Amino acid sequence: MARQPQPRDALQMLADDHRTVEQLFEKYDNARSPSAQAKIVRQICEELTIHAMVEEQIFYPAIREVVDLSMMDEAQVEHDSAKALIISLQQGDPADAFYEAKVSVLKEQIEHHVYEEERQRGSIFAQVRKADFDLTALGEEMAALKQQLMDQAKGGGLPKPELVSLKV
């Protein structure tokens, strides 16, 4: 009898997403052809869009009461800043002016965001760990939405990322 995979808790799921995107940025840095770069950027944009939607629709609302509100607000602004770059990258290609710079800035923003969520003293993850949460149940809810969004992406695409804190 095959064993069922152990469900990941919400924080592990988000951390796994972070590692996936970090690997994709590294792959982009090592890609030489514009077509390979464009393909990797599409993957990065899709991964980040799905990740942001899961965080904003399920994770952030669930943890908002136990995490420092200024950190939550900053996380939302960071998401929106990244989404603005994602929208621009989705509409462009590697031959465009500023394309490589946009990828570079997006990478830097994501690295900073991940640091604040996971690694800095008093991080969002650390605050959530101290709170009384069923992280497995939250992870299951997040995984269900993520799967739905991944299926949607395969079937024709995700909606354009929505900017919450930045109005352009």
Side-chain angles (χ1 to χ4, degrees):
M1 176 187 251
R3 292 178 52 200
Q4 292 293 331
Q6 194 69 8
R8 295 178 299 165
D9 75 30
L11 299 181
Q12 185 60 55
M13 180 182 159
L14 295 175
D16 290 348
D17 287 353
H18 294 162
R19 301 299 82 77
T20 297
V21 170
E22 289 167 352
Q23 291 169 356
L24 286 169
F25 277 118
E26 186 175 323
K27 199 172 166 183
Y28 174 86
D29 289 341
N30 294 320
R32 296 294 170 237
S33 76
S35 64
Q37 289 175 326
K39 181 179 178 186
I40 296 164
V41 168
R42 282 192 301 274
Q43 290 175 286
I44 290 169
C45 291
E46 183 176 295
E47 288 285 338
L48 289 173
T49 298
I50 291 171
H51 180 83
M53 291 174 78
V54 169
E55 279 190 328
E56 292 171 8
Q57 291 178 30
I58 297 174
F59 185 67
Y60 287 171
I63 67 165
R64 192 162 188 85
E65 298 301 319
V66 299
V67 174
D68 178 87
L69 290 180
S70 66
M71 289 183 82
M72 295 301 303
D73 289 347
E74 185 176 337
Q76 183 62 59
V77 172
E78 289 170 349
H79 271 212
D80 283 357
S81 179
K83 287 187 279 188
L85 284 170
I86 288 167
I87 291 165
S88 181
L89 286 166
Q90 287 173 326
Q91 295 170 350
D93 74 37
D96 294 345
F98 304 110
Y99 186 87
E100 193 168 325
K102 290 173 187 177
V103 174
S104 179
V105 170
L106 180 61
K107 178 182 177 182
E108 291 168 3
Q109 287 180 338
I110 298 305
E111 287 171 347
H112 174 79
H113 182 72
V114 167
Y115 174 77
E116 289 187 341
E117 274 194 346
E118 285 188 50
R119 299 183 181 121
Q120 84 176 11
R121 187 174 192 85
S123 70
I124 290 174
F125 281 22
Q127 292 178 53
V128 170
R129 281 188 194 98
K130 288 182 183 178
D132 185 24
F133 266 99
D134 183 347
L135 291 173
T136 301
L138 187 59
E140 289 171 358
E141 185 180 354
M142 291 166 51
L145 176 58
K146 182 176 180 178
Q147 185 60 55
Q148 176 186 347
L149 293 169
M150 289 169 53
D151 292 345
Q152 186 177 349
K154 287 178 189 167
L158 295 166
K160 181 176 149 186
E162 180 183 336
L163 303 180
V164 176
S165 65
L166 302 175
K167 299 299 177 193
V168 289

PDB file of all heavy atoms in Angstrom, residues 137-155:
ATOM      1  N   ALA A 137      -3.641  22.525   9.034  1.00  0.00           N
ATOM      2  CA  ALA A 137      -4.944  22.828   8.419  1.00  0.00           C
ATOM      3  C   ALA A 137      -4.827  24.046   7.507  1.00  0.00           C
ATOM      4  O   ALA A 137      -5.378  24.053   6.393  1.00  0.00           O
ATOM      5  CB  ALA A 137      -5.999  23.064   9.496  1.00  0.00           C
ATOM      6  N   LEU A 138      -4.107  25.060   7.950  1.00  0.00           N
ATOM      7  CA  LEU A 138      -3.900  26.243   7.121  1.00  0.00           C
ATOM      8  C   LEU A 138      -3.137  25.862   5.853  1.00  0.00           C
ATOM      9  O   LEU A 138      -3.470  26.315   4.755  1.00  0.00           O
ATOM     10  CB  LEU A 138      -3.155  27.325   7.915  1.00  0.00           C
ATOM     11  CG  LEU A 138      -3.006  28.688   7.262  1.00  0.00           C
ATOM     12  CD1 LEU A 138      -4.356  29.314   6.936  1.00  0.00           C
ATOM     13  CD2 LEU A 138      -2.195  29.621   8.170  1.00  0.00           C
ATOM     14  N   GLY A 139      -2.138  25.011   5.991  1.00  0.00           N
ATOM     15  CA  GLY A 139      -1.374  24.540   4.842  1.00  0.00           C
ATOM     16  C   GLY A 139      -2.231  23.770   3.851  1.00  0.00           C
ATOM     17  O   GLY A 139      -2.068  23.910   2.638  1.00  0.00           O
ATOM     18  N   GLU A 140      -3.152  22.958   4.356  1.00  0.00           N
ATOM     19  CA  GLU A 140      -4.049  22.208   3.471  1.00  0.00           C
ATOM     20  C   GLU A 140      -4.956  23.148   2.680  1.00  0.00           C
ATOM     21  O   GLU A 140      -5.172  22.953   1.480  1.00  0.00           O
ATOM     22  CB  GLU A 140      -4.886  21.218   4.282  1.00  0.00           C
ATOM     23  CG  GLU A 140      -4.081  20.056   4.826  1.00  0.00           C
ATOM     24  CD  GLU A 140      -4.856  19.192   5.808  1.00  0.00           C
ATOM     25  OE1 GLU A 140      -6.030  19.499   6.121  1.00  0.00           O
ATOM     26  OE2 GLU A 140      -4.272  18.196   6.276  1.00  0.00           O
ATOM     27  N   GLU A 141      -5.466  24.169   3.348  1.00  0.00           N
ATOM     28  CA  GLU A 141      -6.310  25.157   2.665  1.00  0.00           C
ATOM     29  C   GLU A 141      -5.502  25.894   1.595  1.00  0.00           C
ATOM     30  O   GLU A 141      -5.968  26.103   0.475  1.00  0.00           O
ATOM     31  CB  GLU A 141      -6.875  26.134   3.697  1.00  0.00           C
ATOM     32  CG  GLU A 141      -7.851  27.128   3.144  1.00  0.00           C
ATOM     33  CD  GLU A 141      -8.397  28.082   4.205  1.00  0.00           C
ATOM     34  OE1 GLU A 141      -8.119  27.932   5.407  1.00  0.00           O
ATOM     35  OE2 GLU A 141      -9.115  29.017   3.790  1.00  0.00           O
ATOM     36  N   MET A 142      -4.279  26.266   1.948  1.00  0.00           N
ATOM     37  CA  MET A 142      -3.411  26.971   1.000  1.00  0.00           C
ATOM     38  C   MET A 142      -3.041  26.066  -0.172  1.00  0.00           C
ATOM     39  O   MET A 142      -3.022  26.509  -1.321  1.00  0.00           O
ATOM     40  CB  MET A 142      -2.156  27.472   1.725  1.00  0.00           C
ATOM     41  CG  MET A 142      -2.447  28.595   2.705  1.00  0.00           C
ATOM     42  SD  MET A 142      -1.106  28.950   3.882  1.00  0.00           S
ATOM     43  CE  MET A 142       0.300  29.132   2.820  1.00  0.00           C
ATOM     44  N   ALA A 143      -2.759  24.790   0.107  1.00  0.00           N
ATOM     45  CA  ALA A 143      -2.392  23.846  -0.956  1.00  0.00           C
ATOM     46  C   ALA A 143      -3.542  23.651  -1.936  1.00  0.00           C
ATOM     47  O   ALA A 143      -3.320  23.531  -3.147  1.00  0.00           O
ATOM     48  CB  ALA A 143      -1.957  22.515  -0.352  1.00  0.00           C
ATOM     49  N   ALA A 144      -4.765  23.625  -1.428  1.00  0.00           N
ATOM     50  CA  ALA A 144      -5.928  23.459  -2.309  1.00  0.00           C
ATOM     51  C   ALA A 144      -6.056  24.650  -3.255  1.00  0.00           C
ATOM     52  O   ALA A 144      -6.283  24.478  -4.462  1.00  0.00           O
ATOM     53  CB  ALA A 144      -7.201  23.289  -1.481  1.00  0.00           C
ATOM     54  N   LEU A 145      -5.899  25.871  -2.728  1.00  0.00           N
ATOM     55  CA  LEU A 145      -5.964  27.054  -3.590  1.00  0.00           C
ATOM     56  C   LEU A 145      -4.800  27.055  -4.580  1.00  0.00           C
ATOM     57  O   LEU A 145      -4.985  27.351  -5.760  1.00  0.00           O
ATOM     58  CB  LEU A 145      -5.957  28.343  -2.760  1.00  0.00           C
ATOM     59  CG  LEU A 145      -5.926  29.644  -3.576  1.00  0.00           C
ATOM     60  CD1 LEU A 145      -7.119  29.742  -4.527  1.00  0.00           C
ATOM     61  CD2 LEU A 145      -5.861  30.852  -2.648  1.00  0.00           C
ATOM     62  N   LYS A 146      -3.624  26.706  -4.100  1.00  0.00           N
ATOM     63  CA  LYS A 146      -2.460  26.685  -4.996  1.00  0.00           C
ATOM     64  C   LYS A 146      -2.695  25.712  -6.144  1.00  0.00           C
ATOM     65  O   LYS A 146      -2.403  26.045  -7.303  1.00  0.00           O
ATOM     66  CB  LYS A 146      -1.191  26.312  -4.227  1.00  0.00           C
ATOM     67  CG  LYS A 146       0.036  26.317  -5.106  1.00  0.00           C
ATOM     68  CD  LYS A 146       1.304  26.045  -4.325  1.00  0.00           C
ATOM     69  CE  LYS A 146       2.489  26.061  -5.279  1.00  0.00           C
ATOM     70  NZ  LYS A 146       3.754  25.849  -4.577  1.00  0.00           N
ATOM     71  N   GLN A 147      -3.219  24.530  -5.862  1.00  0.00           N
ATOM     72  CA  GLN A 147      -3.483  23.558  -6.926  1.00  0.00           C
ATOM     73  C   GLN A 147      -4.506  24.095  -7.923  1.00  0.00           C
ATOM     74  O   GLN A 147      -4.352  23.954  -9.128  1.00  0.00           O
ATOM     75  CB  GLN A 147      -3.964  22.223  -6.338  1.00  0.00           C
ATOM     76  CG  GLN A 147      -4.125  21.140  -7.390  1.00  0.00           C
ATOM     77  CD  GLN A 147      -2.819  20.835  -8.110  1.00  0.00           C
ATOM     78  OE1 GLN A 147      -1.813  20.527  -7.495  1.00  0.00           O
ATOM     79  NE2 GLN A 147      -2.837  20.935  -9.439  1.00  0.00           N
ATOM     80  N   GLN A 148      -5.536  24.738  -7.401  1.00  0.00           N
ATOM     81  CA  GLN A 148      -6.564  25.336  -8.265  1.00  0.00           C
ATOM     82  C   GLN A 148      -5.935  26.393  -9.184  1.00  0.00           C
ATOM     83  O   GLN A 148      -6.216  26.441 -10.384  1.00  0.00           O
ATOM     84  CB  GLN A 148      -7.663  25.954  -7.398  1.00  0.00           C
ATOM     85  CG  GLN A 148      -8.732  26.677  -8.148  1.00  0.00           C
ATOM     86  CD  GLN A 148      -9.701  27.392  -7.202  1.00  0.00           C
ATOM     87  OE1 GLN A 148      -9.729  27.167  -6.006  1.00  0.00           O
ATOM     88  NE2 GLN A 148     -10.485  28.278  -7.757  1.00  0.00           N
ATOM     89  N   LEU A 149      -5.070  27.223  -8.631  1.00  0.00           N
ATOM     90  CA  LEU A 149      -4.421  28.270  -9.417  1.00  0.00           C
ATOM     91  C   LEU A 149      -3.440  27.687 -10.435  1.00  0.00           C
ATOM     92  O   LEU A 149      -3.345  28.182 -11.558  1.00  0.00           O
ATOM     93  CB  LEU A 149      -3.712  29.272  -8.495  1.00  0.00           C
ATOM     94  CG  LEU A 149      -4.634  30.114  -7.611  1.00  0.00           C
ATOM     95  CD1 LEU A 149      -3.822  30.860  -6.555  1.00  0.00           C
ATOM     96  CD2 LEU A 149      -5.474  31.064  -8.444  1.00  0.00           C
ATOM     97  N   MET A 150      -2.735  26.626 -10.061  1.00  0.00           N
ATOM     98  CA  MET A 150      -1.817  25.971 -10.995  1.00  0.00           C
ATOM     99  C   MET A 150      -2.596  25.362 -12.154  1.00  0.00           C
ATOM    100  O   MET A 150      -2.168  25.461 -13.308  1.00  0.00           O
ATOM    101  CB  MET A 150      -0.982  24.919 -10.262  1.00  0.00           C
ATOM    102  CG  MET A 150       0.048  25.522  -9.331  1.00  0.00           C
ATOM    103  SD  MET A 150       0.853  24.349  -8.203  1.00  0.00           S
ATOM    104  CE  MET A 150       1.434  23.092  -9.303  1.00  0.00           C
ATOM    105  N   ASP A 151      -3.737  24.757 -11.851  1.00  0.00           N
ATOM    106  CA  ASP A 151      -4.585  24.206 -12.909  1.00  0.00           C
ATOM    107  C   ASP A 151      -5.091  25.316 -13.826  1.00  0.00           C
ATOM    108  O   ASP A 151      -5.129  25.161 -15.046  1.00  0.00           O
ATOM    109  CB  ASP A 151      -5.774  23.439 -12.306  1.00  0.00           C
ATOM    110  CG  ASP A 151      -5.357  22.158 -11.594  1.00  0.00           C
ATOM    111  OD1 ASP A 151      -4.206  21.690 -11.791  1.00  0.00           O
ATOM    112  OD2 ASP A 151      -6.175  21.632 -10.809  1.00  0.00           O
ATOM    113  N   GLN A 152      -5.464  26.428 -13.217  1.00  0.00           N
ATOM    114  CA  GLN A 152      -5.938  27.577 -13.991  1.00  0.00           C
ATOM    115  C   GLN A 152      -4.824  28.104 -14.900  1.00  0.00           C
ATOM    116  O   GLN A 152      -5.065  28.448 -16.059  1.00  0.00           O
ATOM    117  CB  GLN A 152      -6.419  28.667 -13.036  1.00  0.00           C
ATOM    118  CG  GLN A 152      -7.074  29.843 -13.700  1.00  0.00           C
ATOM    119  CD  GLN A 152      -7.599  30.851 -12.680  1.00  0.00           C
ATOM    120  OE1 GLN A 152      -7.660  30.596 -11.481  1.00  0.00           O
ATOM    121  NE2 GLN A 152      -7.962  32.010 -13.160  1.00  0.00           N
ATOM    122  N   ALA A 153      -3.613  28.154 -14.387  1.00  0.00           N
ATOM    123  CA  ALA A 153      -2.478  28.638 -15.173  1.00  0.00           C
ATOM    124  C   ALA A 153      -2.232  27.726 -16.378  1.00  0.00           C
ATOM    125  O   ALA A 153      -1.960  28.206 -17.479  1.00  0.00           O
ATOM    126  CB  ALA A 153      -1.227  28.722 -14.302  1.00  0.00           C
ATOM    127  N   LYS A 154      -2.345  26.423 -16.182  1.00  0.00           N
ATOM    128  CA  LYS A 154      -2.153  25.471 -17.285  1.00  0.00           C
ATOM    129  C   LYS A 154      -3.280  25.576 -18.307  1.00  0.00           C
ATOM    130  O   LYS A 154      -3.072  25.347 -19.487  1.00  0.00           O
ATOM    131  CB  LYS A 154      -2.101  24.044 -16.743  1.00  0.00           C
ATOM    132  CG  LYS A 154      -0.841  23.711 -16.019  1.00  0.00           C
ATOM    133  CD  LYS A 154      -0.889  22.296 -15.480  1.00  0.00           C
ATOM    134  CE  LYS A 154       0.286  22.042 -14.566  1.00  0.00           C
ATOM    135  NZ  LYS A 154       0.118  20.807 -13.804  1.00  0.00           N
ATOM    136  N   GLY A 155      -4.471  25.928 -17.837  1.00  0.00           N
ATOM    137  CA  GLY A 155      -5.632  25.955 -18.713  1.00  0.00           C
ATOM    138  C   GLY A 155      -5.836  27.252 -19.451  1.00  0.00           C
ATOM    139  O   GLY A 155      -6.859  27.444 -20.089  1.00  0.00           O
TER     140      GLY A 155
END
